């Protein structure tokens, strides 16, 4: 019989762990990985198709909203999904996230205009946020941290493959005769249905107690509001409005107020969305800080590397997508290998430390690339970055889960995942500002030297797409490519500093032994109520 939850503890704190066989975990993991690949591919597949989409639907002035809507709602909703699953059960909430994702994907695929598409993408992001965070949380419920390393590598590999191959698939669908951009949203539906069936039939977790636990509505409103406003600022700043503008100050002040008000609300809540006790845990705070830096390196590399490949090297979108495969391979192999070693050795700190060192080295090599660099040099550099990220991303999630009590697994997982996404938004905004400023300065200097002129927009020469640049006169092309090459040197050097800070952060982490059995005070039961 379930006992009442202790004061300040969520219902999930009373869950009794059950032992799952390797085969059972692998079956459920197949569904979780399928769901994660489905969600993440759909998130990143649209980038390649955006020029075609806005060309057909109109709304060139809302281009950035189509790209930003999913990332914004995905990050803002992540802290909420974990707590909702504590209150209503992992399986039911995961299924709800899948349904939301499928419905929004279909709506986006049938979008008649740009406004409809943006709204559908925003709802889609809510589902993606749930699938991404709940996959990690459910894995944390199935196995103890030490054994979890055997399986977390598959999660990391799924994330890497989805993130880096999405644009390549998007380019293929847009170019394929008889398909088109709408299939960027339809292609993931069969995978989502498969994931739903697998999870529905095979996932059996302890049923949560049905007590009168109050929902932390004020905490949800304040945390979501703070996350939304800061993400809006980082996503749209420098694009939709200048950094030095009333919008920047207004969003910054609103975000600060939301988060400040959330502190006393979360302290007083019976079941807080983000329990304040988490932030008294040194390891958890360091893991969140390093996750922000990892997100900046990950998203910064994947966003700005194509700029180098397509503009400086003159590659087609498809060719530049193929050039990212070494990064996919490095992440895939490193994630799998590190997971196996963590399970066997029970040690984890060496992997994120080594990973961040490799990311630092790889980004330093990327900063030294130029227009004449060979494909071997490019591939080797991004493979090193990929291997470093593969050693780091999933192990940090594992460490976050291991650093807290069992009752806080959902909150720690969803918040750590949120901080990585948040770091990505910060990195993209910061690196984009560096790139824009450096390109503008370089081109003004070179254009003045040769007494040339190009129309400008937002202070930067209006260059158009890589294809449009390729149609410009030879001297102008050379100036543009040199300007981007020099600007990207600065971007990747800034990323080196970010990665180096991440490496230092890992050194200060305390290697808490990975749990191999239920935590103190918990006992196993062979017969317990199950979800579904």
């Amino acid at each position: 019989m379930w006992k009442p939850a202790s004061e300040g503890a969520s219902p999930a704190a009373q869950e009794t762990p059950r032992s799952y066989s390797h085969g059972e975990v692998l079956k459920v993991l197949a569904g979780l990985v399928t769901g994660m690949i489905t969600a993440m591919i759909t998130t990143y597949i649209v980038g390649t198709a955006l020029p075609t989409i806005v060309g057909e639907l109109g709304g060139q002035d809302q281009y950035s909203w189509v790209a930003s809507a999913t990332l914004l709602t995905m990050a803002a909703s992540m802290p909420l999904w974990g707590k909702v699953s504590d209150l209503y059960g992992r399986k039911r909430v995961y299924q709800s996230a899948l349904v939301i994702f499928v419905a929004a994907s279909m709506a986006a695929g049938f979008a008649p205009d740009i406004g409809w598409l943006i709204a559908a993408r925003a709802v889609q992001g809510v589902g993606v946020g749930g699938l991404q965070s709940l996959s990690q949380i459910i894995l944390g419920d199935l196995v103890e941290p030490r054994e979890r390393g055997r399986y977390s590598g598959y999660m990391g590999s799924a994330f890497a493959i989805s993130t880096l191959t999405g644009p390549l698939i998007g380019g293929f669908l847009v170019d394929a005769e008889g398909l088109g951009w709408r299939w960027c949203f339809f292609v993931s539906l069969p995978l989502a249905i498969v994931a739903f069936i697998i999870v529905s039939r095979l996932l059996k977790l302890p049923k949560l107690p049905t007590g009168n636990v109050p929902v932390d509505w004020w905490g949800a409103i304040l945390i979501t509001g703070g996350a939304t406003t800061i993400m809006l600022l980082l996503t749209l700043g420098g694009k939709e409005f200048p950094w030095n503008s009333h919008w920047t100050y207004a969003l910054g002040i609103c975000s600060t107020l939301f988060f400040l008000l959330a502190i006393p609300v979360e302290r007083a809540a019976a079941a807080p969305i983000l329990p304040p006790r988490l932030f008294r845990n040194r390891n958890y705070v360091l893991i969140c800080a390093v996750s922000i830096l990892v997100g900046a390196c990950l998203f910064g590399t994947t966003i700005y590397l194509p700029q180098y490949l397509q503009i400086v090297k003159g590659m087609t979108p498809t060719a530049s997508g193929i050039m990212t495969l070494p990064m996919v391979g490095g992440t895939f192999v490193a994630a799998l290998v590190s997971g196996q070693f963590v399970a066997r050795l029970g040690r984890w700190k060496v992997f994120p430390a080594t990973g961040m060192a490799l990311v630092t080295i790889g980004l330093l090599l990327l900063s030294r690339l130029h227009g004449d660099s060979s494909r071997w040099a490019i591939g080797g550099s991004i493979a090193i970055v990929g291997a470093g990220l593969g050693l780091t991303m999933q192990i940090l999630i594992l460490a976050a889960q291991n650093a807290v009590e069992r009752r806080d697994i959902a909150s720690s997982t969803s918040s750590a995942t949120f901080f990585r996404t948040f770091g990505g938004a910060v990195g993209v905004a910061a690196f984009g500002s560096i790139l824009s400023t450096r390109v503008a300065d370089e081109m003004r200097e070179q254009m003045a030297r040769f007494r040339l002129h190009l129309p400008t927009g937002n202070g930067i020469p209006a260059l158009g797409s890589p294809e449009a640049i390729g149609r410009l006169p030879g001297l102008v092309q050379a100036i543009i490519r040199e300007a981007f090459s020099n600007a990207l040197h600065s971007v990747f050097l800034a990323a080196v500093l970010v990665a180096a800070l991440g490496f230092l952060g890992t050194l200060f982490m305390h290697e808490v032994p990975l749990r191999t059995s239920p935590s103190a005070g918990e006992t196993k039961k062979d017969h317990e109520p199950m979800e579904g």
Side-chain angles (χ1 to χ4, degrees), residues 218-527:
W218 279 112
I221 292 170
L222 292 171
I223 291 173
T224 304
T228 301
T229 49
I230 193 65
M231 291 292 292
L232 279 171
L233 173 58
L234 294 171
T235 303
L236 303 179
K239 299 175 185 176
E240 298 295 321
F241 51 82
W243 288 112
N244 185 17
S245 67
H246 296 304
W247 278 107
T248 299
Y249 302 131
L251 289 172
I253 292 171
C254 287
S255 178
T256 303
L257 288 175
F258 277 130
F259 285 129
L260 287 176
L261 290 172
I263 294 174
V265 169
E266 292 301 272
R267 284 179 174 174
I273 299 295
L274 277 179
R277 60 180 173 269
L278 292 180
F279 297 95
R280 295 193 291 268
N281 185 312
R282 173 186 168 185
N283 254 22
Y284 172 78
V285 173
L286 282 171
I287 288 165
C288 290
V290 173
S291 295
I292 292 174
L293 301 174
V294 169
C297 294
L298 169 66
F299 286 89
T301 303
T302 55
I303 292 295
Y304 295 109
L305 183 62
Q307 296 269 46
Y308 167 78
L309 296 173
Q310 295 184 35
I311 295 177
V312 178
K313 296 293 291 182
M315 294 182 182
T316 64
T318 301
S320 69
I322 293 173
M323 278 302 299
T324 64
L325 293 181
M327 189 171 182
V328 177
T331 305
F332 182 85
V333 173
L336 290 180
V337 171
S338 61
Q340 294 298 319
F341 272 101
V342 166
R344 293 179 184 179
L345 303 177
R347 303 182 67 86
W348 57 266
K349 180 178 175 179
V350 64
F351 296 105
T354 304
M356 291 311 295
L358 287 177
V359 172
T360 304
I361 293 170
L363 289 169
L364 183 61
L365 293 174
L366 285 175
S367 73
R368 298 174 64 86
L369 295 178
H370 48 78
D372 296 328
S373 296
S374 68
R375 296 196 176 192
W376 286 104
I378 300 169
S381 300
I382 61 178
I384 293 172
V385 174
L389 292 171
L391 291 174
T392 305
M393 290 191 296
Q394 290 303 117
I395 303 301
L396 286 180
I397 297 293
L398 172 62
Q401 294 173 337
N402 188 65
V404 301
E405 300 175 43
R406 179 179 297 278
R407 59 177 174 168
D408 291 326
I409 282 182
S411 296
S412 65
T413 303
S414 57
S415 57
T417 307
F418 161 75
F419 282 118
R420 186 172 65 196
T421 307
F422 173 75
V426 173
V428 169
F431 297 150
S433 180
I434 294 172
L435 180 68
S436 299
T437 302
R438 291 281 286 119
V439 167
D441 291 344
E442 289 277 340
M443 289 199 61
R444 287 193 193 99
E445 181 181 337
Q446 293 296 322
M447 290 293 179
R449 178 183 173 189
F450 290 98
R451 297 185 178 181
L452 297 173
H453 174 73
L454 280 178
T456 61
N458 295 325
I460 303 173
L463 305 176
S465 66
E467 293 79 8
I469 293 173
R471 293 192 293 269
L472 294 173
L475 177 59
V476 176
Q477 283 189 48
I479 290 173
I480 292 172
R481 287 174 178 167
E482 181 69 17
F484 267 92
S485 180
N486 293 338
L488 287 167
H489 289 172
S490 299
V491 169
F492 289 124
L493 280 175
V496 168
L497 295 177
V498 172
L501 286 175
F503 171 71
L504 291 176
T506 62
L507 297 182
F508 285 99
M509 293 177 186
H510 177 59
E511 185 158 22
V512 180
L514 294 176
R515 290 192 297 267
T516 57
S517 61
S519 54
E522 294 175 329
T523 58
K524 292 186 177 183
K525 292 183 180 179
D526 295 326
H527 304 286

Side-chain angles (χ1 to χ4, degrees), residues 119-186:
R121 291 275 290 165
V123 178
Q124 194 179 51
V126 175
V128 172
L131 295 175
Q132 189 174 343
S133 57
L134 287 168
S135 296
Q136 304 283 358
I137 294 169
I138 291 172
L139 181 61
D141 289 334
L142 293 176
V143 288
E144 294 300 327
R146 180 160 178 174
E147 287 301 306
R148 203 174 302 152
R150 302 172 64 187
Y151 310 102
S152 62
Y154 297 108
M155 291 287 194
S157 302
F159 180 84
I161 291 172
S162 305
T163 303
L164 299 172
T165 60
L168 183 61
I169 298 173
F172 168 77
L173 291 173
V174 171
D175 293 337
E177 187 176 351
L179 296 178
W181 65 264
R182 294 184 186 274
W183 279 92
C184 291
F185 302 103
F186 296 147

